[in-house]
Amino acid sequence: MPVPWFLLSLALGRSPMVLPLERLVGPQDATHCSPGLSCHLWDDDILCLPGDIVPALGPVLVPTHLQTELVLRCGKETDCDLCVRVAVHLAVHGHWEEHEDEKKFGGAADPGLEKPRNASLQAQVVLSFQAYPTARCVLLEVQVPAALVQFGQSVGSVVYDCFEAALGSEVQIWSYTQPRYEKKLNLTQQLPDCRGLEVRNSIRSCWALPWLNVSADGDNARLVLNVSEEQHFSLFLYWKQVQGPPKPWWQKNLTGPQIITLNHTDLVPCLCIQVWPLELDSFRTNICPFREDPRAHRNLWRAARLRLLTLQSWRLEALCPLPAEAALCWQAPGGDPCQPLVPPLSWENITVNKVLEFPLLEGHPNLCVQQVNSWENLQLQECLWADSLGPLNDDVLLLETRGPQNNRSFCALEPSGCTSLPSRASTLWNDDLGALWACPMDKYSHKRWALVWLACLLFAAALSLFLLLRKDHAKGWLRLLKQDVRKGAAARGRAALLLYSADDSSFERLVGALASALCELPLRVAVDLWSRRELSAQGPVAWFHAQRRQTLQEGGMVVLLFSPGAVALCSEWLQDGMSVPGANCPHDAFRASLSCVLPDFLQGRASGRYVAACFDRLLRPDAVPALFRTVPVFSLPSQLPDFLGALQRPSALRPRRLRESAEQVSRALQPALESYFHPPGTPGQGRGVGPGTGDGT
């Protein structure tokens, strides 16, 4: 099992190995080489101009390997700078070309030509050093005696002391010869900072470096800075970006020892910390301690948002880079999973905060964007066009294909496959091979239903004629018809989805009494108490998705009924963003609904769709979590008139009728309330109330 970040104590990140460093006295550069070789350092730096590769006309010296070592260059015992010593290993490459006289006569050539073969080799070796903001090139002259010249063999090395560099910087070193016979050698090295130096007291910029530990504070992160009370330093938190400057979060100038707590919901993989003493040219240390933290990665996805920019362009907005890909999918009403449109479209790799486009000619509310990470786990799904084009439509998606003779054929995309059929529709996407079309379902069914409507009209005409012939019975029929219309209006009342936490059986009976009382009004109530069979078969998540979608599509309201148990669940869910113990209960739609309810509140879509309620003496309205108090919160039964007014349609808000309905619901609730707060056989005041409860008055 991996160790979470909060069990580790990090001293400015992972501390590098402590390095014992050699000291060099004096500011002069120097060079020395292996025994048998002679070397010389040019006095001044040269221009870094490697030039093109040229062919060698005989054996030449070339660099084969670079090696570095960190040393200290000291003017005084306690005034040193970090320096990079570079060793260049050399070898003999190439060979002597055979002389034309030897080729022609097969014998020895002119003795005057033998001398170069026994001569020493010379080379001009260039060392190029770059470490922002420094760039230098030095020239080393090396000579190898003839006795050491062996083709393809190493002859030794030449060492340069040294290139000064800043602590914690990245350096790049190249080596080549003039003229250049082979590719440049390259070496990149990350230099340590003050943490990795055994001689920290010898480098002035390290003297006042604050010491930082990252540890746990419950679920949060705690930054502990152990410095003296007189020490002034600056602390900077930022989000590191792959390209471009970092995104600042906040910066503070502090004094003395400090303990700073970071909320666990603010931790993301690219959150980094920079700290430095408030002194001239002081060294700045950077660490990013949450890069491998699983919770930080979950926070990053939870905060990511898909944003529609234009009809065809959209963007994934997140604080940190995310390895992900996306594709369009088609979300049909009814709770079925969103069906990816792959093929005909394909998955696209995406870049965070970069504008992306799909080849759409027209938007549609059922088109959604599926966002997955590199582990093929679905992280985000949002129907971007639904906000501007309305709720999901009962449309079918058709795929048009074109054959070699430009003949067209249609098929309807379904979970089981593509069903062939002809159609006329409005196009969403096309290319040279085919197109996607969205077609209303009534285009396919209106022929079938035409005969049914004709039969209904004939029956209505016959019934009217019959009533006219028997006027004595007409009034009776009209009275019955009026009653049926009233009952139908009640049956077609506004939909209400009731969500609650099943704290115990007594509270479930209280919820059942409220739901039954609301059904006596022109309201259609859905509650999991009455749908246990469907809930067990579909699972709480799928059941809630279907009920919520149907309720909102019909213009209904979702009622969040809060109890102490619901408040505890919400608080725990908001802290962890995860399932809480017991969240796999097959009959608990409230737990399952949190993952879908919260986005509506966080994105400002809850108004007009949700209301909250609690029972008098069980929970005060101000105990409801603040996030859910952005919609009206009612205490029942003391605020029943306002609660019923929010649930019913505006046309039904008649004051007298509203008061009567409130009295009716209140009478129906009283036995259940008395049974809940004063269970049979319970002496005294009955059921106790805890923090956050009250009488609601």
Side-chain angles (χ1 to χ4, degrees), residues 29-30 41 84-86 127 136 138 140 158-163:
D29 293 347
L41 172 65
V84 181
R85 171 184 288 166
V86 183
L127 280 177
R136 293 183 60 196
V138 297
L140 311 176
V158 58
V159 178
Y160 171 74
D161 283 330
C162 56
F163 294 110

Side-chain angles (χ1 to χ4, degrees), residues 491-553:
R492 293 189 302 271
R494 196 176 193 186
L497 173 60
L498 190 60
L499 297 176
Y500 68 99
S501 172
D503 293 1
D504 51 38
S505 58
S506 297
F507 186 74
E508 283 190 306
R509 286 193 294 270
L510 182 57
V511 174
L514 175 63
S516 299
L518 294 178
C519 285
E520 297 298 322
L521 307 178
L523 290 172
R524 290 180 292 113
V525 180
V527 63
D528 64 346
L529 279 172
W530 302 338
S531 306
R532 289 292 168 83
R533 180 176 299 177
E534 294 85 354
L535 200 64
S536 298
Q538 301 175 16
V541 175
W543 182 86
F544 171 74
H545 270 292
Q547 296 296 327
R548 171 184 170 275
R549 180 181 296 108
Q550 180 179 354
T551 300
L552 297 181
Q553 283 181 350

Side-chain angles (χ1 to χ4, degrees), residues 550-581:
Q550 180 179 354
T551 300
L552 297 181
Q553 283 181 350
E554 296 175 359
M557 298 289 287
V558 179
V559 181
L560 302 177
L561 188 57
F562 281 92
S563 63
V567 171
L569 283 175
C570 291
S571 300
E572 190 168 355
W573 205 100
L574 289 170
Q575 290 176 2
D576 293 341
M578 304 166 56
S579 297
V580 296

Side-chain angles (χ1 to χ4, degrees), residues 198-416:
E198 189 180 58
V199 288
R200 183 181 300 111
N201 293 333
S202 299
I203 299 180
R204 184 181 297 273
S205 59
C206 292
W207 289 357
L209 179 68
W211 196 250
L212 170 67
N213 287 330
V214 181
S215 59
D217 182 13
D219 290 335
N220 302 324
R222 182 170 57 191
L223 311 182
V224 181
L225 294 102
N226 297 319
V227 296
S228 63
E229 295 183 357
E230 298 81 14
Q231 177 64 50
H232 303 277
F233 61 93
S234 186
L235 185 68
F236 175 44
L237 270 66
Y238 62 94
W239 297 292
K240 186 177 182 180
Q241 305 299 303
V242 175
Q243 295 180 346
K247 291 183 179 179
W249 183 15
W250 61 265
Q251 177 181 349
K252 290 184 179 180
N253 293 333
L254 304 171
T255 302
Q258 295 283 340
I259 298 179
I260 299 173
T261 301
L262 300 179
N263 193 296
H264 70 92
T265 58
D266 295 327
L267 306 182
V268 291
C270 63
L271 179 60
C272 299
I273 305 167
Q274 186 180 85
V275 60
W276 69 95
L278 294 177
E279 298 179 359
L280 183 64
D281 297 330
S282 59
F283 173 69
R284 299 191 178 196
T285 297
N286 297 270
I287 60 169
C288 303
F290 311 110
R291 285 178 294 185
E292 306 299 330
D293 179 15
R295 181 174 298 184
H297 284 272
R298 289 194 295 269
N299 289 340
L300 178 60
W301 276 111
R302 191 176 298 128
R305 292 291 179 267
L306 298 174
R307 186 177 301 278
L308 184 66
L309 303 177
T310 65
L311 175 64
Q312 297 176 323
S313 62
W314 60 282
R315 180 173 60 209
L316 171 63
E317 298 179 349
L319 292 174
C320 307
L322 284 171
E325 55 183 7
L328 286 176
C329 66
W330 181 263
Q331 180 64 69
D336 292 332
C338 196
Q339 185 177 0
L341 303 181
V342 180
L345 300 179
S346 60
W347 289 101
E348 298 287 344
N349 292 326
I350 63 171
T351 302
V352 171
N353 299 323
K354 180 180 179 181
V355 177
L356 304 168
E357 292 187 357
F358 280 115
L360 294 173
L361 299 180
E362 183 179 341
H364 194 279
N366 294 36
L367 278 177
C368 307
V369 176
Q370 280 187 326
Q371 184 88 25
V372 299
N373 64 6
S374 56
W375 296 278
E376 298 183 355
N377 294 323
L378 179 62
Q379 296 287 355
L380 286 175
Q381 177 179 308
E382 189 165 351
C383 302
L384 298 177
W385 294 270
D387 289 339
S388 58
L389 300 180
L392 298 178
N393 293 345
D394 191 15
D395 291 352
V396 63
L397 189 68
L398 305 183
L399 170 62
E400 176 195 1
T401 57
R402 300 188 181 100
Q405 282 77 34
N406 202 28
N407 54 326
R408 299 184 177 185
S409 62
F410 288 90
C411 66
L413 286 179
E414 298 177 351
S416 59

Side-chain angles (χ1 to χ4, degrees), residues 527-648:
V527 63
D528 64 346
L529 279 172
W530 302 338
S531 306
R532 289 292 168 83
R533 180 176 299 177
E534 294 85 354
L535 200 64
S536 298
Q538 301 175 16
V541 175
W543 182 86
F544 171 74
H545 270 292
Q547 296 296 327
R548 171 184 170 275
R549 180 181 296 108
Q550 180 179 354
T551 300
L552 297 181
Q553 283 181 350
E554 296 175 359
M557 298 289 287
V558 179
V559 181
L560 302 177
L561 188 57
F562 281 92
S563 63
V567 171
L569 283 175
C570 291
S571 300
E572 190 168 355
W573 205 100
L574 289 170
Q575 290 176 2
D576 293 341
M578 304 166 56
S579 297
V580 296
N584 57 353
C585 174
H587 302 315
D588 198 340
F590 186 85
R591 299 173 190 261
S593 68
L594 288 178
S595 61
C596 303
V597 168
L598 284 176
D600 288 342
F601 283 84
L602 294 172
Q603 298 175 15
R605 299 198 301 255
S607 179
R609 297 180 172 187
Y610 294 79
V611 295
C614 57
F615 287 108
D616 297 344
R617 293 192 296 164
L618 180 61
L619 190 75
R620 293 195 306 266
D622 59 0
V624 173
L627 178 64
F628 299 98
R629 295 203 301 271
T630 56
V631 300
V633 181
F634 303 100
S635 184
L636 307 181
S638 60
Q639 295 179 338
L640 265 174
D642 295 334
F643 173 70
L644 298 180
L647 290 186
Q648 298 189 45

